[in-house]
């Protein structure tokens, strides 16, 4: 049947072209332009277009062309696949995007050598890590000098030192994403100063990059100039193509500099300032799905501002649905992350609903036998665990692990630790403590080996092992692992973060079981300080710890012998 449809389609094409030649859509495929490495034109790139029946292959000079009979100028066509061995698309969202059919405007496709991308990313990462470590060491020396000169107290020193460590660890976690972005930055079309700024960022010369950006003038002035040109475009029916090119160029220039400013601020652990530049970036271009997702991840993972993260994910989903359709891999991906954000907010019902939506989308696009679907199965299993639906939790979690075992070759892939961690929780709930310990230890060993002891994922394993020891009435070992979890969260997020506060609650629970009320009180007071800073003095969580402290103090009074 498919063969017959193809034959009929080709016959229809022949009939339509009789008596009138169809207009050609031309295009070119080139490599990413990088410092000291100009673009090259790629031959042998396979391109699929939804409305065209045959595979298009670029020729010498990277050129290709095709005609779609009956397609008029300005009507849309969709690129569904671009492939060449050893190369990747720079713009991942090009696949599925609609383009205007034009005989005068060629379609430009930019690819990057996988080897070049890997080398550039590693180089940028190495320089960023070195810069971050140097910055960290200088700040530590400055702090120690202040302490030695007694310009700050011992307590202020400890607080600033902990904050510095937290900011350092948070920034280190962002380096991989930032390196990916800068390694895929196309220098083609940039002016000399913009190229210099990007090169400075890639070489971790952030101070020089900041100075160069500031030389361009204030962001307010530049943004106003861009806005004026946009308004002129809207009012003028005969706006020249040159003005549109200026708008596009200045928009991309502003976006690059906003992102560079964000990078500079994040490297100095100024999260509020970093968030400010991200927000300006996504406000400037509300259709940039990649930046909307980037902002959502930042507010979720680094700021713990789940409401704002959800806002950006929802905006990204709207844009993806407009650009790729309601049922697409891109829509499935963002739908899944909306479910995760609802989970972080504690709304398990909404989280479960969005995860099932993601599973349905993946089922219609790429099928359910792949790592993406395995991740959703695992998340759904964890939500059912939280809802005490243990049989469903076990079913979905085992299904996710089975898919991972069949589709993921790298056994150091951390997806396995996620599956074993969740299975450990389920088996604990079922009272099968031996199975639970076996699973938790598999997850913990991998996370310690791959991520180190101070990551939030490793901290979660510490918490789960500690909880299991409670079930076994082994409070000493339980306390050891809860303390490890607290140290890890403190290092990763600082004292004023929900996870750090939560770990103090676990420790207090053990101290209470051991009747050590002084230690219970110490944990609650640290948790209260964190709550006041993160939630504010009137938040229910803050009030809960305030009341708990009062209760413990009353118990201490009752235990004191009468005079």
């Amino acid at each position: 049947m498919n063969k017959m449809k193809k034959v009929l389609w080709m016959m229809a094409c022949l009939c339509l072209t009789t008596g009138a030649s169809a207009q050609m859509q031309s295009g070119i495929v080139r490599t990413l332009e990088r410092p000291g490495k100009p673009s090259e034109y790629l031959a042998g790139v396979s391109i699929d277009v939804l409305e065209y029946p045959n595979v298009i292959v670029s020729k010498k000079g990277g050129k290709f062309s095709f005609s779609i009979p009956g397609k008029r100028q300005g009507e849309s066509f969709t690129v569904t696949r671009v492939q060449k061995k050893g190369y990747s698309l720079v713009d991942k969202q090009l696949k599925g995007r609609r383009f205007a059919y034009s005989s005068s405007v060629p379609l430009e496709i930019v690819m990057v050598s996988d080897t070049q991308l890997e080398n550039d990313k590693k180089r940028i990462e190495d320089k960023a890590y070195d810069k971050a470590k140097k910055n960290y060491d200088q700040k530590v020396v400055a702090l120690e000098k202040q302490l030695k000169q007694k310009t700050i107290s011992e307590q202020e020193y400890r607080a600033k030192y902990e904050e510095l460590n937290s900011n350092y660890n948070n920034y280190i976690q962002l380096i991989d994403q930032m390196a990916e972005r800068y390694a895929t930055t196309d220098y083609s079309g940039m002016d000399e100063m913009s190229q210099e700024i990007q090169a400075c960022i890639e070489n971790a010369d952030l101070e020089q990059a900041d100075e160069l950006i500031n030389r361009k003038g204030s962001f307010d002035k530049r943004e106003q100039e861009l806005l004026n040109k946009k308004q002129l475009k809207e009012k003028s029916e005969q706006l020249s193509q040159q003005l549109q090119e200026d708008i596009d160029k200045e928009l991309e220039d502003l976006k690059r500099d906003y992102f560079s400013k964000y990078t500079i601020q994040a490297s100095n652990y100024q999260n509020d300032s970093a968030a400010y530049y991200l927000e300006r970036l996504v406000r400037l271009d509300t259709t940039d799905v990649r930046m909307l997702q980037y902002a959502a991840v930042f507010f979720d993972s680094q700021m713990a501002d789940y409401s704002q993260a959800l806002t950006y994910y929802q905006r990204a989903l709207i844009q993806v649905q407009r650009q790729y359709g309601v049922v697409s891999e891109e829509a499935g991906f963002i739908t899944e992350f909306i479910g995760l954000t609802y989970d972080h907010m504690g709304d398990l019902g909404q989280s479960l609903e969005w995860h099932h939506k993601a599973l349905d989308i993946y089922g219609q696009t790429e099928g359910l036998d792949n790592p993406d679907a395995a991740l959703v199965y695992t998340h759904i299993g964890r939500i059912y665990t939280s809802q005490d639906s243990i049989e469903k939790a076990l079913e979905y979690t085992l299904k996710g692990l089975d898919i991972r075992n069949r589709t993921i070759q790298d056994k150091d892939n951390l997806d396995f630790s996620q599956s074993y961690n969740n299975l450990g929780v389920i088996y604990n709930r079922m009272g099968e403590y031996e199975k639970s310990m076996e699973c938790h230890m598999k997850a913990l060993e991998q996370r310690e080996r791959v991520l180190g002891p101070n990551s939030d994922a490793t901290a979660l394993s510490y918490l789960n092992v500690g909880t299991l020891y409670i079930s076994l009435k082994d409070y000493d070992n339980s306390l050891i692992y809860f303390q490890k979890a607290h140290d890890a969260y403190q290092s990763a997020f600082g004292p004023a973060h929900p996870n750090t506060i939560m770990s103090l609650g676990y420790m207090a629970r053990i101290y209470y079981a051991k009747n050590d009320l002084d230690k219970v009180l110490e944990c609650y007071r640290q948790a209260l300080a964190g709550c006041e800073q993160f939630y504010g003095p009137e938040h229910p969580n803050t009030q809960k710890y305030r009341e708990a402290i009062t209760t413990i103090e009353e118990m201490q009074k009752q235990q004191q012998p009468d005079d």
Side-chain angles (χ1 to χ4, degrees), residues 326-470:
V326 175
V327 179
S328 64
E329 290 181 32
E330 291 82 1
F333 179 79
I334 297 177
T335 298
E336 178 184 347
F337 271 82
I338 290 175
L340 284 173
T341 306
Y342 273 118
D343 190 359
H344 297 159
M345 297 171 73
D347 192 338
L348 299 183
Q350 281 286 344
S351 180
L352 191 61
E353 181 178 336
W354 281 91
H355 275 96
H356 275 295
K357 285 180 181 178
L359 204 59
D360 182 58
I361 292 172
Y362 285 142
Q364 296 182 59
T365 54
E366 55 183 317
L368 295 177
D369 198 20
N370 62 76
D372 288 338
L375 181 60
V376 182
Y377 278 122
T378 305
H379 287 161
I380 292 174
R382 182 175 48 75
I383 296 167
Y384 278 130
T385 303
S386 300
Q387 294 179 330
D388 290 325
S389 299
I390 301 303
E391 289 185 5
K392 285 186 176 181
L394 185 61
E395 174 191 348
Y396 277 88
T397 307
L398 286 174
K399 190 176 291 186
L401 179 58
D402 175 62
I403 294 172
R404 283 170 171 167
N405 279 324
R406 288 186 286 102
T407 60
I408 300 176
Q409 301 299 319
D410 179 12
K411 297 309 176 184
D412 258 355
N413 188 303
L414 288 167
D415 287 353
F416 289 105
S417 71
Q418 182 188 44
S419 289
Y420 285 120
N421 178 84
N422 294 2
L423 281 172
V425 173
I426 294 169
Y427 285 129
N428 189 11
R429 295 279 187 91
M430 296 170 68
E432 297 189 29
Y433 302 131
E434 186 175 337
K435 282 185 177 181
S436 178
M437 183 65 78
E438 180 183 350
C439 291
H440 278 313
M441 284 304 179
K442 282 184 179 180
L444 177 57
E445 287 166 5
Q446 185 184 45
R447 287 172 174 176
E448 283 184 327
R449 183 176 68 254
V450 178
L451 299 175
N454 289 330
S455 75
D456 57 332
T458 309
L460 178 60
S461 283
Y462 288 141
L463 280 182
N464 287 331
V465 172
T467 302
L468 182 55
Y469 273 119
I470 291 178

Side-chain angles (χ1 to χ4, degrees), residues 132-144:
K133 185 62 169 63
K134 182 179 179 182
N135 195 357
Y136 170 84
D137 290 341
Q138 289 174 345
K139 290 178 183 293
V140 169
V141 170
L143 267 181
E144 290 174 348

Side-chain angles (χ1 to χ4, degrees), residues 176-376:
D176 180 71
Q177 290 178 311
M178 289 190 291
E180 174 79 18
R181 174 174 171 79
Y182 285 107
T184 55
T185 296
D186 190 4
Y187 279 59
S188 176
M190 282 191 205
D191 59 45
E192 186 175 340
M193 179 174 282
S194 294
Q195 290 187 3
E196 188 176 354
I197 291 170
Q198 294 304 301
C200 286
I201 293 287
E202 292 185 18
N203 291 310
D205 190 357
L206 305 181
E207 294 80 8
Q208 179 65 16
D210 200 33
E211 180 182 345
L212 290 171
I213 295 170
N214 291 336
R215 283 187 201 171
K216 292 185 176 183
S218 73
F219 281 104
D220 287 337
K221 180 181 177 181
R222 292 168 62 191
E223 192 167 331
Q224 185 60 49
E225 289 174 351
L226 175 64
L227 180 62
N228 291 342
K229 289 181 179 179
K230 282 186 173 181
Q231 291 173 343
L232 178 61
K233 175 182 178 294
E234 292 171 359
K235 294 176 182 178
S236 175
E237 294 181 357
Q238 298 178 344
L239 182 67
S240 69
Q241 184 177 348
Q242 182 60 50
L243 183 55
Q244 180 60 58
E245 290 175 358
D246 288 346
I247 290 172
D248 293 340
K249 186 175 180 179
E250 289 175 27
L251 173 62
E252 289 305 312
D253 192 41
L254 263 170
K255 287 168 63 178
R256 278 194 300 268
D257 287 347
Y258 273 139
F259 196 85
S260 296
K261 274 286 193 180
Y262 154 75
T263 301
I264 294 164
Q265 296 302 318
S267 73
N268 286 315
Y269 321 124
Q270 300 295 325
N271 284 343
D272 288 340
S273 295
Y276 166 77
Y277 286 109
L278 268 183
E279 288 183 305
R280 290 195 72 157
L281 192 160
V282 295
R283 187 172 68 242
L284 187 64
D285 185 355
T286 59
T287 65
D288 191 330
V289 174
R290 186 180 182 187
M291 284 296 102
L292 284 167
Q293 289 177 266
Y294 203 102
V297 170
F298 179 81
F299 277 95
D300 190 341
S301 63
Q302 301 303 316
M303 303 289 286
D305 188 343
Y306 305 128
S307 178
Q308 187 69 356
L310 185 62
T311 297
Y312 285 126
Y313 276 132
Q314 289 172 332
R315 290 180 186 175
L317 181 61
I318 291 171
Q319 291 302 321
V320 161
Q321 290 173 336
R322 287 174 179 171
Q323 295 174 28
Y324 309 111
V326 175
V327 179
S328 64
E329 290 181 32
E330 291 82 1
F333 179 79
I334 297 177
T335 298
E336 178 184 347
F337 271 82
I338 290 175
L340 284 173
T341 306
Y342 273 118
D343 190 359
H344 297 159
M345 297 171 73
D347 192 338
L348 299 183
Q350 281 286 344
S351 180
L352 191 61
E353 181 178 336
W354 281 91
H355 275 96
H356 275 295
K357 285 180 181 178
L359 204 59
D360 182 58
I361 292 172
Y362 285 142
Q364 296 182 59
T365 54
E366 55 183 317
L368 295 177
D369 198 20
N370 62 76
D372 288 338
L375 181 60
V376 182

